[in-house]
Amino acid sequence: MFTDGRSRRVIFLAHCLLNQNAISDGTAEVPAAHREILRTVLDARVGVVQLPCPELCCLGLDRGDPKGGERPVVAENTRIRRAMGQPEAAARLRELTAQVVRQIREYRKHDFTVLGIVGVDRSPCCGVNTTSDLDRELPGRGVFIAALQTALEEAELTVPVIGIKPSAPDALAAVQALLGA
């Protein structure tokens, strides 16, 4: 099974790396997608799995506040982080986390290599090394990445997880290292 042209190697990328239109107001760095990151993955012949955007799925495109883009980014991110802890959003977040774990388990069941998960630092949801809280960027994980890593541990799945700032000079090197390139 699966002896066709596919590479049998996949990487999970934060939603906003592939779709800046989903990102919170005032934070998009590029019009569509982070082209160099995507090109690096595709040139390595690795399939891309787009993680769900927890903020969009749980809070909506405006994150529950049409004036959010008028605040400093870390202040708005702190508000978003708090909103993600509300019961309805937290329940949806658990569903999204379970969905990703099921996908990873399915790839592994069929002997695909899951190279890793790439989050976006400073994000209140997808930060890996840093997140936003208390109106500033702090060391720590976003709420989605933290929940996902817990769910992966509970499922006894080991998957490397890295965080990048997409426009930072070291972002491509970090992705390349994860790809083994």
Side-chain angles (χ1 to χ4, degrees):
M1 185 173 215
F2 305 115
T3 58
D4 52 15
R6 66 189 83 197
S7 70
R8 299 171 58 104
R9 297 176 350 129
V10 297
I11 190 168
F12 285 69
L13 298 180
H15 190 94
C16 62
L17 293 172
L18 302 174
N19 180 16
Q20 287 277 282
N21 291 292
I23 204 163
S24 63
D25 190 21
T27 59
E29 296 177 321
V30 295
H34 286 279
R35 184 178 298 176
E36 290 306 313
I37 291 169
L38 182 56
R39 187 183 334 247
T40 297
V41 173
L42 295 176
D43 286 350
R45 299 178 186 256
V46 172
V48 176
V49 181
Q50 185 176 23
L51 289 168
C53 175
E55 296 171 24
L56 175 61
C57 293
C58 297
L59 303 175
L61 193 57
D62 68 1
R63 308 307 193 255
D65 184 355
K67 297 194 181 268
E70 297 172 16
R71 283 190 280 284
V73 171
V74 291
E76 176 60 1
N77 281 353
T78 295
R79 186 196 65 77
I80 290 168
R81 184 181 187 92
R82 297 289 173 262
M84 291 298 293
Q86 297 301 310
E88 187 177 324
R92 181 72 179 123
L93 185 71
R94 284 189 298 277
E95 293 171 12
L96 296 174
T97 301
Q99 223 174 54
V100 174
V101 170
R102 277 193 296 278
Q103 287 181 314
I104 291 171
R105 185 177 277 128
E106 188 66 17
Y107 278 116
R108 292 259 178 96
K109 173 179 150 187
H110 292 284
D111 296 320
F112 282 62
T113 301
V114 177
L115 296 171
I117 297 168
V118 181
V120 176
D121 284 336
R122 189 182 70 188
S123 166
C125 288
C126 293
V128 177
N129 304 302
T130 65
T131 188
S132 293
D133 201 2
L134 306 172
D135 292 342
R136 59 184 188 268
E137 184 174 354
L138 299 169
R141 290 180 271 173
V143 294
F144 179 63
I145 291 295
L148 180 57
Q149 286 185 306
T150 298
L152 289 169
E153 289 169 12
E154 289 171 357
E156 298 181 356
L157 294 169
T158 303
V159 180
V161 180
I162 67 165
I164 62 170
K165 287 190 175 177
S167 297
D170 60 346
L172 280 179
V175 172
Q176 288 169 333
L178 191 59
L179 297 171

